[in-house]
């Protein structure tokens, strides 16, 4: 394998196999692994015209003892079922999702980065409506697929601090679907992201679209804050994507670090009271934020400027310790694949 594991970024690298199952005449076929990375569909496929598609993201890790594991894939399967329901797509059963993940990782095992490299094998399950529609209605045929790509960190650690700005744009959620992991939400956020980059920011800190007063999340990651007395807080909202990383970090804060952890509404005016801020997600893991700018009003998190704050670092070490097998995991969190 000719891959420089230590310097991998977050980008697509073609691997040998991908999993495909097709839904037709009201049922899923038995599914298969294929070496063909192309998808061939009709020009009027529902996914192309009306964006009937959703996805998931999870990682396979090489542990300290050389095993290959996945982190809580059952939660990805369950969240994808919720996304499919909201988009009127047939659900791919949880047991089959897990089985497909296992088959795929085993077949691409040489692409799972070595322990200690900081890289992982990213898995991208997705489903889309594949047969032609012209009137607005759900497709009748679908494909469920998973491909794999080795990835490094989403935000390079040790690089310049992450800066966010509060945009004039609402976060996608066009039909109140902000809690659905769907390409359409990302499509509607592209302009806000490019605009943030053009202004020198890494990402947007979106506010709730109803009142524009409460913190939601960034384009592809949830947000956690740490209070001056070491309490971990994260926004309560049903229009943000329920991050599995965030749920896990809140558990780790309470049960491993003995900290208070609370989900509550967070007003944008109060973020200056926090001492740490970080982005969390499968891709971002836990990346410290150094600065948030809300229309000229700057909030600095000095702890996140050149290295993570104390609590952010503890959360990061414990979560990645659990994922890499250095720290004992709660029951059911780790799926051993090889
Ligand atoms: C995937 C995603 C996240 C992170 O969720 P994880 O389950 O932790 O990977 C956060 N926000 C959005 C919008 C997402 O799509």
């Amino acid at each position: 394998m000719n891959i420089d594991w230590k310097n991998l970024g977050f980008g697509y690298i073609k691997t040998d196999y991908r999993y495909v199952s097709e839904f037709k005449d009201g049922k899923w076929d038995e599914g298969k692994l294929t070496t063909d990375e192309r998808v061939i569909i009709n020009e009027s496929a529902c996914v192309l015209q009306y964006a009937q598609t959703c996805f998931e993201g999870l990682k396979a890790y090489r542990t300290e003892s050389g095993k290959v594991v996945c982190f809580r894939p059952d939660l990805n399967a369950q969240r994808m079922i919720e996304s499919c329901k909201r988009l009127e797509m047939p659900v791919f059963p949880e047991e089959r999702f897990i089985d497909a993940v296992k088959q795929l990782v085993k077949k691409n095992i040489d692409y799972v980065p070595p322990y200690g490299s900081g890289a992982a094998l990213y898995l991208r399950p997705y489903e889309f409506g594949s047969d032609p529609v012209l009137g607005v209605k759900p497709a009748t045929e679908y494909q469920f697929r998973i491909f794999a790509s080795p990835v490094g960190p989403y935000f390079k650690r040790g690089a310049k601090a992450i800066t966010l700005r509060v945009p004039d744009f609402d976060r996608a959620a066009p039909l109140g679907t902000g809690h659905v992991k769907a390409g359409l939400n990302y499509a509607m956020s592209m302009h806000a992201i490019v605009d943030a980059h053009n202004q020198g920011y890494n990402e947007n800190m979106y506010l709730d679209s109803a009142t524009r007063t409460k913190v939601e999340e960034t384009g592809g990651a949830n947000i956690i804050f740490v209070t001056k007395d070491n309490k971990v807080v994260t926004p309560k909202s049903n229009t943000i994507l329920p991050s599995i990383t965030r749920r896990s970090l809140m558990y780790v804060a309470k049960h491993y670090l003995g900290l208070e952890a609370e989900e509550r509404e967070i007003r944008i005016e109060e973020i200056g009271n926090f001492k740490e801020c970080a982005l969390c997600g499968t891709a971002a893991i836990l990346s410290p934020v150094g600065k948030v700018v809300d229309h000229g009003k700057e909030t600095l998190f000095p702890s996140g400027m050149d290295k993570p704050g104390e609590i952010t670092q503890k959360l990061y070490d414990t979560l990645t310790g659990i994922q890499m097998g250095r720290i004992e995991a709660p029951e059911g969190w780790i799926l051993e694949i090889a």
Side-chain angles (χ1 to χ4, degrees):
M1 200 69 41
N2 202 359
I3 298 177
D4 180 5
W5 303 113
K6 282 214 148 60
N7 293 307
L8 269 184
F10 197 91
Y12 174 79
I13 293 176
K14 191 182 142 191
T15 53
D16 297 341
Y17 289 91
R18 62 277 303 122
Y19 178 90
V20 193
S21 181
E22 297 192 35
F23 183 92
K24 208 177 164 169
D25 300 326
K27 59 181 191 312
W28 290 107
D29 70 11
E30 68 282 8
K32 62 171 197 269
L33 293 156
T34 166
T35 56
D36 190 354
E37 80 279 21
R38 294 168 309 163
V39 177
I40 296 172
I41 49 173
N42 185 277
E43 61 192 345
S44 198
C46 199
V47 57
L48 297 179
Q49 304 309 327
Y50 301 126
Q52 196 188 21
T53 180
C54 65
F55 67 98
E56 271 303 322
L58 68 161
K59 285 172 171 171
Y61 306 88
R62 185 95 53 185
T63 67
E64 191 173 31
S65 62
K67 291 188 178 127
V68 173
V69 301
C70 270
F71 183 71
R72 313 187 78 180
D74 51 327
L75 298 188
N76 294 98
Q78 289 161 18
R79 191 170 62 190
M80 187 153 179
I81 287 171
E82 295 311 309
S83 292
C84 285
K85 286 183 184 163
R86 185 64 179 78
L87 294 166
E88 288 294 336
M89 307 205 291
V91 304
F92 198 70
E94 180 176 334
E95 325 76 72
R96 290 206 53 194
F97 182 106
I98 303 285
D99 177 60
V101 163
K102 284 185 185 162
Q103 287 187 42
L104 181 75
V105 172
K106 281 186 185 151
K107 276 285 199 181
N108 290 306
I109 200 91
D110 293 341
Y111 290 96
V112 182
Y115 173 77
S117 63
L121 185 66
Y122 184 77
L123 307 177
R124 171 53 64 87
Y126 59 114
E127 183 178 323
F128 54 88
S130 54
D131 63 323
V133 294
L134 203 49
V136 181
K137 61 175 175 5
T140 57
E141 296 179 10
Y142 294 84
Q143 290 191 24
F144 170 87
R145 289 178 164 256
I146 314 179
F147 68 79
S149 175
V151 295
Y154 196 84
F155 296 104
K156 282 219 177 339
R157 294 206 134 210
K160 262 179 58 200
I162 294 175
T163 59
L164 310 177
R165 63 98 196 247
V166 175
D168 287 323
F169 309 99
D170 283 332
R171 174 165 170 273
L175 304 164
T177 54
H179 59 293
V180 176
K181 204 164 175 79
L184 70 95
N185 288 328
Y186 280 76
M188 296 307 290
S189 72
M190 293 292 174
H191 180 61
I193 289 192
V194 170
D195 191 65
H197 289 173
N198 287 342
Q199 316 244 356
Y201 300 98
N202 294 91
E203 256 285 6
N204 295 295
M205 177 180 276
Y206 295 104
L207 303 182
D208 72 297
S209 22
T211 71
R212 290 261 179 105
T213 56
K214 289 171 278 180
V215 175
E216 294 248 289
E217 61 171 331
T218 68
N222 280 186
I223 304 175
I224 63 160
F225 296 96
V226 179
T227 64
K228 293 192 173 105
D229 55 356
N230 292 343
K231 187 166 168 183
V232 181
V233 293
T234 191
K236 186 181 178 71
S237 158
N238 49 25
T239 50
I240 65 178
L241 202 278
S243 158
I244 294 163
T245 313
R246 175 172 95 155
R247 280 179 259 170
S248 305
L249 286 167
M250 297 302 273
Y251 184 93
V252 162
K254 277 189 209 157
H255 300 277
Y256 283 69
L257 303 178
L259 301 172
E260 268 185 76
E262 187 189 17
E263 201 179 326
R264 64 161 170 88
E265 287 187 348
I266 296 174
R267 286 170 298 106
I268 185 68
E269 305 97 82
E270 66 175 301
I271 67 169
N273 300 335
F274 298 123
K275 68 170 182 182
E276 297 177 32
C277 173
L279 306 184
C280 66
T282 300
I285 312 179
L286 187 60
S287 302
V289 171
K291 183 166 86 172
V292 179
V293 180
D294 177 11
H295 299 88
K297 184 175 176 240
E298 287 197 357
T299 303
L300 297 175
F301 297 97
S303 64
M305 273 310 199
D306 37 36
K307 60 181 178 47
E310 181 202 346
I311 302 297
T312 301
Q313 185 70 52
K314 280 188 183 159
L315 286 167
Y316 178 90
D317 290 343
T318 311
L319 180 71
T320 54
I322 290 169
Q323 291 167 336
M324 308 291 169
R326 291 187 300 266
I327 297 175
E328 192 177 343
E331 174 87 34
W333 278 26
I334 299 293
L335 174 75
E336 196 175 312
I337 294 183

